[in-house]
Structure formats: C-alpha cells, structure tokens
C-alpha cells in the first residue's frame, strides 16, 4: 500500500512539473537532469527540452477584431457595427475544407512547429511520459498553434495511461468515451465511467466530480447514492480546505459560470423564454436601469457619486471590491470609494462629523469593508490594529459586518486576546441581523458544544444564502446522521452545492467564457463540455445551446453566402439532445421544452410524439413557460401524441396568454384558427371535442363588493331564485374569505360611504312612500266629499238616523264613531 502511495505521489509530481513546463521549461530541465538514470532517458529528456524551447514562442495570435465587445453609448455601438461590417466585407475567406468535404485534409504545420513535433515524437518512441503528454495536449487543445486532432489525442492519452497510469490521461480517455468528441472514438458510457473511476482513485479532482455526478444521476450505471456521496465528499473536502485557506475569513469565491442563452433573453429569445417572460420578465419603465448594460450602471453610479450620493459611492466600492465575471477586482479603487464615505461621517481623529443616521449607517458599512481590507491585507499592508479601529467605529452603529469581523478576531486571537465567549457574543449580534457568515460560526460553536439542534438551526439560516461553510456542515451532518436520521440524498445534494461553489479547483469556466467572447466556439464547446460532464447545469445548457442548430424553423443561414458556417464539431444533434436532457433533469424548464422539440422533430433521435407531449406537459406544470403551454395547445389541436381535443387546446392557449402577456399575438392567431376548425367540426358532426362555453366562475365577494353588487343588481330571491336552491354552495360565504379583514382595512372608507348612501336611499324611498300615501288619502277624502254633495240623498227623503250616503252608522271621521264602536263591544 505504501509503495502504491509513493508511486502515486511520484506520478503527481511528474504531472505537475509537466503542466508547468510551458511557463517554466527550466524547471522541467532541472528535474530531467536530476532524474535521468541512463543515456536513453537523458537523451529523451534533452529532446523534450529542445522541443519546448522551439514551442515557447509559438502562441496563437488572437485578432483584435474577434475580441472587440459592443461598447455602451452611441460611439461604442458605432464602433462595434463598423467592425462587424469590416469583417464581413474584407475578412471573409472561402469555407474551410472541413466544412465542405466529409474527409478533412491534413493541416500543414509551420517549420518550427513541425520540427518540435518530430522531436517530441522521437522522445515518445523512447516512452518519455512528458513527450507523450505534450503531444496529447497539443492535439486535443491545439496548443502552440498545433491543429486539433482528437483521434491522435485519444491515442496519445491512451498510450500515457498505459505507460504509467497517469490520472489526467485516464480522465481524458473517459471524457472522450463519454462524448465521442470529434468522432475520435465511439461513445461508450460504461468505458467512460471505468476510466473516470480509475482517474478518481488516482486523485484527479475533475474525475472525482465526474464520477460522483454519474452515480448521482445514473449515467452509464444505475443510480448509487452511496457512491455519489463518497466521491462528492472527496471533492467537497478539497473545496472547503481551499475556501478556508488564505487570509482571515477565507478565500473570496468568485462565480464565473453563467448561461450563454440567458444573456440573449433565453433559449427561445427575449419574451418567449422562461428567464425573460412571465414573472421573470423585466417590467421596468423607460427611465429604469432594468435593461441597462453593466457599463451603463457603473457610469450612472459614478455620476450619482460625483453628485454626493453616498449610497452610490458605497455601491461602487463594493463592485470594485468583490469583482464579477465582467469586471476584475480593483482593491485600491474600492478602498478609495470606502474612504470617501467614511470621511463624510468621521473626522481624522475619529470624532463624528455628521449626526445624520442615514450617513452613519452607510459610513458604518464602509468602515466594515475598510477594516476587512486591513485585516486581510487586501490592497494595503495587513494591520490588525487599524482593522480593530475601523471595526469599533462600525460596531458603535450596530453594523453586522463589523460585529462579525470583530468576532473573528477574538475567535482566532488576531491582534486581541483570544476569547471564544466574546467572539460568540459578537457573532450572535451579527447573526441576529441575518448575517450568514456569523450564523455559520454560531452553528459551528454550538456544534462543538454538542447542541446539534441549535447548530442545525443556525446552519439552515446561513444555507439560505448559499454559505459554503453552512452547506458543508449540513452535508456532513446528513451524511453521518448526527442529531438526525442519516439522509444520503440530502448529503449528496449539499456536497454537490459545496463543490460547485469552488469552481477554480476543478473547472475552467473563465477559459471557456473568454473563448466564447473571442469567437473560438470549438474551444468554448470543449471546455464547457468538460464542466458539463462534472454536473454543472449551466455548462450543460451552454453545450446544448452551442450545438443547437434548430433555433428557427425558417432559418435563412444556409441561403446567405457570407454567413459563417458551423464547424463539424458543432453539428451534433445527438449530443445536443443528451445535454438538453441532463439540463432538464436539473430543473431547467426551457431545456425541458427543447427536449420536446427534439422528440417532436426527430432531431438526433427517432421522432416520438408521446415523449414530446410528456416533455411539454412536465414543463407546463410549473406554470412558468408560455412556450410549453402553447405547444400543448398546438399538439392537442392537431392530435399529435395525444387525443385531438379542441376544447382542451383552447384551455392551454388561454393559459399561455395568462402566463405571458407578450404571447398575445401568437395566442390570438392560434385561437382564431382553432375556433374556425371547431365551428366546422360542430356543423359537420365531427368526432373531435369542440370548444364549449365555459361556465362563469362564482367569485367570493368581499363585504364592500357584496354591498355594491346588492345595490346595483336585483336580488335573486325576487327573480326566480328558487331554481338555484339545489345548486352546490360556493366554497366561501361572501365576505368570509381569509382576506376579509384585509379587504375591510383597505377599503373601510369606501364601505362606509356605500352603507351611508344605502341608508340615505332607503330613507328617501320610505319618505316618498309616506308622502304618496298621505296625498292619496287626501285625494280620496276630497273625492268622497264631492261625491256626497253631488250624489247624496236629499234630506227630505232620508229615513230617521239615515246618513247622506244612505248608511245608518256614523262615519269614521264623525265624533260619535268612537262611542258607537264602544257601544257595540260585548253585544
């Protein structure tokens, strides 16, 4: 075992020296001089040194035009499009043979390159590992202007792996078996896993990550959570060690991975893709910066900073301190911006210049970053004393960063007395302000004391912010079953998140991004593909997008003579479908829709309408993809992969419009055609389910809405409502929803006004009825009196006690009427 370990160490040493040979050939020369045991080895080593000397000046020349980005403003856009026109008119040559002939012709090498290759080949015949490795790398990556030849690269890697079990060579063989890159070898996922496993055992970080992903998702082998967790843990241990290294507080992890399509509005373009439509759409006004370029944002912040806006000045400092994929870190510039903010609140002696609380808050944040730079020695000489001074200033105003950094200094004894209790107090104050690093340290302290439940609670809080320490501890807790039942799936998921946060130890996204910007699509594809094999969803989406040739049904690229044709390496629909599928399995909705497109059109695979419908259905279930919903409507309208149903098709079209209002035109056109087909199907008694009228949904009214509708519409009880008694009751009574009291609070004034108007209306109706009744009685009385005068019985003709109207009883208005009534009671 020890001998095997020593052998692996020796091979790793050889590999490291070989990798550094391009930048430092003298180191390789020294090692070869010391390690040569016989004349043959010495001669081979001398040959490799001579070849490296010749290759060193041969670096690929990158045209300035290929890396000329579109600038901001009118001038930047004019220069960019002028460059495009110049390249189009004067720098387009005839297509390469590789684009026209099925058999590529052998490229001619320059004289120095040819001489170096001959030297390396002669050394490789002597089984010189360095020569074999250099030849393999030159043929694979195209180093030193050497043309790519993937078949030759595969043979050289295989030769090196057989020679000394080199783990890098084994990993590359596995990669080429997995992808069949450049038709160098037939794809074989089982062999790919075998070579990746050998390389992982040999210590290759990339191979360990690739092996873990294959066991995690079941690529070339049944899913095996135990194996996936084991290999992910190997990489996670390296990742967390790298994160903890460096200055106090650990390394600053920068993310270089991104999705190419997202920069262009998504796979289906702006407004049609999930990333740029629906809830993810930029709904900003014309004066907003939602659509602004990063350079425009910097320019705006600089303008506001010059006008005295402290928030803009602080934001500029943070941007320069943290850096990004499109902007390198500038610690000197960041410190200058932070000092501008701090001087607005503190004088040189530390006394307060401005009592304004808004200024105090921003200045305290700037003090935290200034102290952090002194603590870590970033852009300035490391000074614990100055860091302590700035942290105390920020803590006086309750700044969370200052509290965390002060806790860090007390925890490790950096310029102060080491005291874990004092450190815990500072961490607690910062954690209460939802500062993730402090929450993670609080979890660590409780974990050391054995309080697992409290530790997990703090780790969960920090994990919401994707804090790497918290994610790693949660992975360890779930993997070992500490304080809870062991969960292999949870442990694997957390380990995967940890390793993907530290890109620099196993991936080359920076190189891939740079190659893509410079127009070197082949290098970008290969480099993204390596990251995709390691399980990066963004890289899988990038590879599929670069390989996708079906972005438009009515593509005119083949009809445009000056349109640059795609390399044969970029024309592989089978690989595109593979990576669309892997990306979709990691919850990329647009990739899921693309899978359906490939199955529907038979791109890279035999057409399968049922699988296409399944992909669209899975994507539509998220209610985020209008494209998926529209596709479902289309396949139901035409009965492709599902039963033809016009009514169901209409529902999906309507849902597409509800999901994304930008789909108005295509949805309305589709609905118009659908209604015509449904009408014809109805009048001809077709077998397809036609469009039916949808019942109006019953809405649960709030109290104010109920009053308003009651006053505006006749009550159903007086208009044949008896027929509705057998209908099911609505789910909620009017005014009895969960948000009833919220509605009252929001519209209380409106409700009171409506109730007041209703009461006034009721009073007016009552008053009007009373007036009408009084008037009617007065009219009747007058009519009766007039009638009696005209039609009454003459006095001389009346009988004794007879009235003028012929009656014998007193009238109600007669004073004797009461006595007459009283006298009749009891008789």
């Amino acid at each position: 075992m020890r001998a095997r370990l020593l052998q692996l160490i020796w091979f790793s040493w050889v590999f490291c020296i070989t990798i550094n040979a391009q930048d430092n050939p003298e180191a390789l020369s020294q090692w070869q001089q010391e390690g040569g045991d016989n004349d043959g080895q010495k001669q081979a080593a001398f040959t490799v040194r001579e070849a490296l000397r010749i290759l060193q000046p041969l670096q690929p020349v990158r045209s300035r035009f290929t890396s000329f980005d579109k600038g901001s403003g009118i001038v930047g856009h004019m220069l960019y499009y002028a460059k495009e026109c110049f390249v189009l008119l004067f720098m387009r040559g005839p297509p390469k043979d590789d684009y026209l002939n099925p058999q590529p012709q052998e490229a001619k090498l320059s004289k120095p390159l040819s001489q170096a290759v001959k030297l390396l080949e002669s050394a490789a015949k002597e089984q010189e590992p360095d020569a074999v490795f250099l030849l393999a790398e030159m043929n694979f990556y195209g180093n030193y202007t050497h043309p790519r030849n993937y078949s030759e690269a595969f043979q050289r890697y295989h030769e090196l792996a057989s020679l000394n079990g080199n783990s890098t060579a084994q990993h590359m063989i596995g990669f080429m078996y997995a992808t069949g890159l450049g038709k160098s070898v037939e794809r074989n996922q089982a062999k790919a896993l075998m070579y990746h496993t050998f390389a992982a055992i040999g210590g290759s970080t990339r191979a360990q990550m690739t092996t873990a992903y294959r066991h995690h998702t079941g690529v070339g082998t049944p899913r095996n959570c135990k194996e996936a967790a084991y290999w992910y843990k190997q990489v996670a241990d390296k990742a967390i060690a790298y994160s903890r290294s460096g200055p106090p507080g650990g390394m600053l992890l920068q993310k270089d991975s991104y999705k190419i399509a997202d920069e262009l509005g998504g796979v289906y373009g702006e407004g049609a893709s999930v990333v740029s439509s629906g809830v993810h759409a930029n709904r900003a006004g014309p004066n907003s910066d939602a659509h602004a370029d990063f350079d425009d944002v910097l320019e705006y912040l600089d303008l506001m900073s010059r006008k005295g806006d402290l928030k803009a000045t602080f934001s500029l400092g943070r941007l320069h301190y943290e850096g990004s994929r499109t902007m390198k870190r500038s610690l000197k510039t960041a410190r200058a911006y932070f000092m501008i903010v701090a001087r607005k609140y503190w004088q040189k002696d530390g006394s307060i210049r401005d009592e304004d609380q808004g200024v105090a808050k921003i200045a305290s944040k700037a003090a935290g970053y200034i102290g952090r730079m002194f603590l870590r020695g970033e852009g300035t000489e490391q000074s614990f004393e100055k860091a302590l001074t700035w942290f105390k200033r920020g803590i006086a105003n309750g700044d969370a960063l200052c509290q965390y950094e002060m806790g860090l200094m007390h925890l490790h004894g950096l310029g102060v007395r080491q005291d874990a209790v004092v450190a815990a107090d500072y961490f607690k104050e910062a954690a209460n302000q939802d500062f993730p690093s402090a929450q993670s340290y609080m979890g660590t302290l409780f974990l050391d004391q054995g309080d697992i439940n409290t530790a997990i609670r703090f780790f969960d809080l920090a994990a919401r912010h994707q804090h790497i320490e918290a994610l790693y501890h949660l992975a360890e807790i779930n993997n070992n079953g500490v304080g809870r039942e062991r969960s292999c799936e949870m442990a694997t998921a957390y380990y995967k998140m940890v390793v993907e946060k530290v890109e620099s130890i196993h991936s080359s996204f920076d190189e891939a991004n740079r190659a893509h910007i410079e127009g070197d699509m082949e290098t970008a594809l290969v480099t993204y593909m390596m990251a995709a094999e390691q399980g990066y969803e963004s890289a899988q989406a990038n590879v599929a997008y670069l390989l996708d040739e079906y972005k438009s049904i009515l593509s005119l690229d083949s009809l445009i003579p000056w349109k640059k044709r795609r390399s044969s390496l970029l024309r592989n629909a089978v690989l595109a479908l593979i990576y669309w599928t892997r990306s979709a399995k990691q919850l990329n909705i647009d990739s899921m829709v693309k899978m359906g497109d490939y199955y529907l059109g038979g791109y890279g695979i035999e057409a399968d309408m049922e699988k296409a419908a399944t992909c669209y259905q899975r994507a539509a279930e998220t209610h985020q993809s209008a494209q998926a919903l529209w596709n479902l409507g289309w396949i139901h309208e035409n009965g492709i992969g599902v039963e033809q149903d016009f009514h169901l098709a209409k529902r999906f079209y309507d849902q597409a419009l509800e999901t994304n209002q930008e789909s108005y035109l295509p949805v309305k056109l589709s609905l118009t055609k659908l209604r015509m087909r449904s009408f014809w199907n109805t009048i001809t008694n077709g077998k397809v389910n036609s469009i039916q009228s949808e019942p109006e949904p019953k809405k649960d009214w709030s109290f104010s809405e109920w009053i308003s509708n009651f006053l505006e519409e006749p009550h159903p009880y007086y208009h044949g409502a008896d027929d509705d008694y057998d209908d099911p009751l609505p789910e909620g009574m009017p005014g009895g929803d969960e948000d009833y009291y919220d509605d009252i609070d929001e519209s209380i004034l409106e409700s009171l006004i409506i109730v007041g108007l209703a009461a006034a209306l009721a009073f007016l109706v009552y008053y009007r009825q009373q007036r009408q009744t009084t008037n009617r009685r007065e009219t009747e009385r007058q009519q009766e009196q007039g009638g009696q005068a005209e039609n009454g019985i003459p006095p001389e003709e009346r009988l004794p006690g007879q009235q003028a109207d012929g009656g014998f009883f007193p009238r109600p208005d007669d004073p004797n009427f009461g006595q007459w009534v009283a006298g009749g009671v009891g008789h």
Side-chain angles (χ1 to χ4, degrees):
M1 181 66 182
R2 184 177 181 183
R4 175 61 177 166
L5 180 60
L6 292 175
Q7 186 180 13
L8 288 175
I9 294 174
W10 186 83
F11 285 152
S12 301
W13 185 34
V14 172
F15 174 65
C16 292
I17 292 178
T18 306
I19 288 298
N20 294 326
Q22 296 182 11
D23 297 330
N24 190 6
E26 292 79 6
L28 178 62
S29 174
Q30 182 180 359
W31 170 77
Q32 289 172 335
Q33 288 177 356
E34 296 175 354
D37 296 333
N38 51 52
D39 294 339
Q41 290 179 342
K42 290 181 178 180
Q43 182 62 34
F46 175 79
T47 303
V48 173
R49 291 199 306 271
E50 182 63 20
L52 284 174
R53 186 187 65 80
I54 298 173
L55 291 173
Q56 199 67 30
L58 302 179
Q59 297 296 339
V61 178
R62 304 225 179 246
S63 172
R64 293 177 57 192
F65 292 101
T66 60
S67 58
F68 191 88
D69 298 333
K70 183 187 295 185
S72 59
I74 299 177
V75 177
H77 283 74
M78 290 178 62
L79 291 175
Y80 175 80
Y81 288 114
K83 181 270 299 185
E84 289 290 325
C85 293
F86 181 82
V87 173
L88 179 65
L89 296 174
F90 303 107
M91 300 186 66
R92 293 294 189 193
K96 295 182 179 180
D97 295 333
D98 176 59
Y99 301 148
L100 302 177
N101 299 332
Q103 298 295 332
Q105 298 180 358
E106 184 177 355
K108 296 182 180 180
L109 306 181
S110 63
K111 185 176 180 180
L113 180 59
S114 177
Q115 182 181 357
V117 168
K118 290 180 180 179
L119 290 174
L120 291 174
E121 288 177 347
S122 64
K125 291 180 181 179
E126 300 295 332
Q127 296 186 343
E128 171 62 37
D130 301 329
V132 178
F133 180 76
L134 286 173
L135 286 172
E137 294 283 284
M138 290 167 63
N139 281 279
F140 187 87
Y141 291 105
N143 296 337
Y144 306 114
T145 69
H146 193 283
R148 287 185 173 92
N149 188 329
Y150 296 109
S151 299
E152 179 67 18
F154 178 82
Q155 297 298 328
R156 292 297 182 181
Y157 281 130
H158 195 279
E159 179 182 353
L160 182 60
S162 303
L163 183 63
N164 56 15
N166 186 284
S167 61
T168 301
Q170 292 170 339
H171 168 66
M172 296 302 295
I173 294 173
F175 171 74
M176 299 182 82
Y177 269 122
T179 60
L181 189 65
K183 299 181 180 180
S184 57
V185 65
E186 185 178 356
R187 282 194 309 276
N188 190 319
Q189 302 299 339
K191 288 186 177 181
L193 179 60
M194 180 185 69
Y195 277 102
H196 281 311
T197 304
F198 286 153
I201 295 173
S204 171
T205 304
R206 296 188 176 190
Q208 289 171 346
M209 194 168 175
T210 305
T211 305
Y213 173 73
R214 285 178 166 262
H215 284 291
H216 179 52
T217 57
V219 179
T221 181
R223 293 188 62 185
N224 190 327
C225 183
K226 184 178 179 181
E227 285 292 318
Y230 172 79
W231 289 115
Y232 269 132
K233 176 175 169 52
Q234 304 302 309
V235 187
D237 290 341
K238 299 177 183 179
I240 202 67
Y242 174 82
S243 175
R244 292 170 179 172
S245 63
M251 300 292 291
L252 183 64
L253 304 177
Q254 184 169 316
K255 182 178 180 180
D256 291 321
S257 59
Y258 79 107
K259 298 176 185 177
I260 298 173
D262 290 359
E263 298 290 307
L264 305 173
V267 173
Y268 291 98
E270 186 75 30
S273 307
V274 173
V275 297
S276 60
S277 63
V279 296
H280 305 287
N282 291 325
R283 302 186 182 279
N287 297 324
S288 173
D289 62 349
H291 301 275
D293 186 75
F294 184 74
D295 293 334
D296 296 332
V297 175
L298 284 179
E299 184 177 353
Y300 172 77
L301 290 175
D302 182 67
L303 175 63
M304 297 303 296
S305 175
R306 294 175 185 275
K307 291 182 178 181
D309 189 335
L310 293 182
K311 290 184 178 180
T313 306
F314 175 75
S315 299
L316 283 171
R318 281 196 60 179
L319 288 173
H320 285 284
Y321 176 79
E322 296 175 354
S324 67
R325 178 175 54 85
T326 57
M327 185 180 72
K328 293 183 178 180
R329 296 181 70 192
S330 178
L331 299 175
K332 184 178 179 180
T333 305
R335 183 167 173 267
Y337 281 119
F338 290 140
M339 290 299 296
I340 292 174
V341 178
R343 291 193 183 104
K344 291 291 183 180
Y345 185 72
W346 289 290
Q347 296 183 5
K348 190 173 182 179
D349 58 356
S351 59
I352 297 176
R353 186 191 306 270
D354 191 343
E355 296 289 347
D356 184 80
Q357 291 299 316
V359 176
K361 184 177 181 180
I362 297 296
S364 299
K365 292 181 179 293
Y369 278 95
I370 295 172
R372 178 183 175 89
M373 296 176 76
F374 278 115
L375 177 65
R376 296 164 60 89
E378 295 176 325
T380 185
E381 185 179 355
Q382 190 176 37
S383 175
F384 296 149
E385 181 181 357
K386 292 181 180 179
L388 187 64
T389 300
W390 284 105
F391 291 149
K392 286 181 178 180
R393 293 180 180 180
I395 289 174
N397 293 312
D399 181 67
L401 176 60
C402 293
Q403 292 168 345
Y404 161 72
E405 297 290 357
M406 184 68 82
L408 200 65
M409 294 182 71
H410 282 280
L411 182 64
H412 299 292
L414 304 174
V416 295
R417 182 174 61 87
Q418 189 172 6
D419 192 331
V421 176
V422 176
D425 292 337
Y426 282 114
F427 288 146
K428 182 179 179 181
E429 293 296 326
N432 290 337
Q433 300 187 56
D434 201 23
F435 196 79
S437 297
Q439 292 169 340
S440 179
Y441 267 101
M442 286 295 295
T444 304
L445 293 176
F446 278 107
L447 187 64
D448 293 340
Q449 296 175 2
D451 190 347
I452 307 299
N453 293 329
T454 305
I456 291 176
R457 181 169 64 85
F458 277 107
F459 288 142
D460 285 335
L461 291 174
R464 292 182 296 113
H465 303 277
Q466 298 293 306
H467 193 272
I468 185 171
E469 286 281 350
L471 294 173
Y472 180 76
H473 283 296
L474 288 173
E476 291 285 271
I477 288 172
N478 283 279
N479 191 39
N480 297 295
V482 179
R484 59 172 62 178
E485 186 178 354
R486 185 179 185 273
S487 175
C488 181
E489 292 291 340
M490 290 293 293
T492 304
Y494 280 124
Y495 279 136
K496 187 175 186 293
M497 286 189 282
V498 170
V499 300
E500 290 186 355
K501 287 188 70 68
V502 188
E503 300 172 354
S504 57
I505 67 172
H506 51 64
S507 302
S508 301
F509 279 105
D510 181 60
E511 178 184 351
N513 297 340
R514 187 169 58 253
H516 179 261
I517 293 173
E518 294 174 348
D520 188 356
M521 296 303 174
E522 192 165 328
T523 300
L525 175 69
V526 173
T527 315
Y528 281 134
M529 199 178 292
M530 296 179 111
E533 288 294 311
Q534 295 169 7
Y536 277 96
E537 189 276 322
S538 59
Q540 293 168 348
N542 287 346
V543 172
Y545 184 75
L546 291 176
L547 292 173
D548 185 29
E549 296 186 81
Y550 309 102
K551 296 181 174 66
S552 175
I553 297 178
L554 301 176
S555 178
L556 302 178
D557 291 351
S558 59
L559 303 178
I560 302 176
W562 59 81
K563 183 70 176 179
K564 185 177 180 181
R565 303 186 185 182
R566 295 166 63 90
S567 164
S568 59
L569 190 66
L570 297 172
R571 302 195 299 269
N572 194 327
V574 177
L575 269 184
L577 178 58
I578 289 174
Y579 286 109
W580 284 131
T581 304
R582 294 181 184 178
S583 174
K585 286 184 177 180
Q586 299 197 61
L587 306 181
N588 188 318
I589 301 174
D590 282 335
S591 296
M592 179 69 72
V593 181
K594 265 293 183 181
M595 277 182 62
D597 294 345
Y598 272 60
Y599 281 116
L600 184 66
Y603 305 139
I605 196 172
E606 185 178 355
D608 191 328
M609 305 307 169
E610 293 185 1
K611 287 186 177 180
T614 302
C615 292
Y616 295 145
Q617 183 65 44
R618 290 286 300 276
E621 288 173 355
T622 63
H623 298 285
Q624 297 184 41
S625 176
Q627 183 71 46
L629 290 165
W630 189 93
N631 289 354
L632 278 176
W634 185 81
I635 64 176
H636 278 88
E637 178 185 352
N638 297 281
I640 298 177
V642 294
E643 183 180 357
Q644 192 173 14
D645 191 327
F646 292 154
H647 184 70
L648 194 55
K650 179 183 179 299
R651 284 189 176 182
F652 284 121
Y653 285 143
D654 291 338
Q655 290 180 14
L657 183 58
E658 293 175 2
T659 303
N660 183 10
Q661 294 298 322
E662 295 186 31
S663 63
Y664 178 85
L665 179 60
V667 168
K668 289 301 181 181
L669 292 175
S670 301
L671 285 173
T672 301
K673 178 172 66 72
L674 178 65
R675 290 184 185 279
M676 295 173 61
R677 296 185 64 181
S678 177
F679 174 75
W680 180 258
N681 177 73
T682 301
I683 64 176
T684 58
N685 295 323
K687 299 181 179 180
V688 182
N689 184 25
S690 297
I691 299 176
Q692 303 171 8
S693 59
E694 297 282 355
E696 295 184 1
K698 294 184 177 180
K699 180 182 177 183
D700 295 334
W701 294 335
S702 65
F703 181 74
S704 60
E705 292 174 335
W706 189 85
I707 292 293
S708 177
N709 289 318
F710 178 80
L711 295 176
E712 294 176 0
E713 299 179 2
H715 202 279
Y717 289 159
Y718 300 100
H719 296 273
D722 296 338
D723 298 335
D724 298 330
Y725 284 166
D726 295 333
D727 292 343
L729 293 176
E731 296 180 358
M733 292 296 292
D737 300 339
E738 295 178 354
D739 58 346
Y740 168 73
Y741 294 103
D742 293 338
D743 292 338
I744 289 296
D745 293 337
E746 295 174 357
S747 58
I748 184 67
L749 182 60
E750 178 186 356
S751 301
L752 292 176
I753 293 175
I754 293 175
V755 171
L757 292 175
L761 179 62
F763 173 76
L764 291 175
V765 171
Y766 173 78
Y767 179 76
R768 182 174 179 272
Q769 290 177 348
Q770 292 299 319
R771 288 291 302 272
Q772 289 177 347
T773 301
T774 303
N775 293 334
R776 187 179 68 253
R777 289 179 178 177
E778 182 67 22
T779 302
E780 292 176 353
R781 187 178 65 82
Q782 292 177 357
Q783 291 177 353
E784 289 178 355
Q785 291 177 355
Q788 292 173 359
E790 295 178 359
N791 302 321
I793 301 175
E796 62 274 7
E797 298 180 2
R798 299 177 189 171
L799 296 175
Q802 188 177 14
Q803 303 293 330
D805 59 355
F808 290 90
F809 304 113
R811 293 176 56 82
D813 54 352
D814 194 327
N816 298 323
F817 179 77
Q819 296 179 1
W820 176 80
V821 172
V825 176
H827 293 280

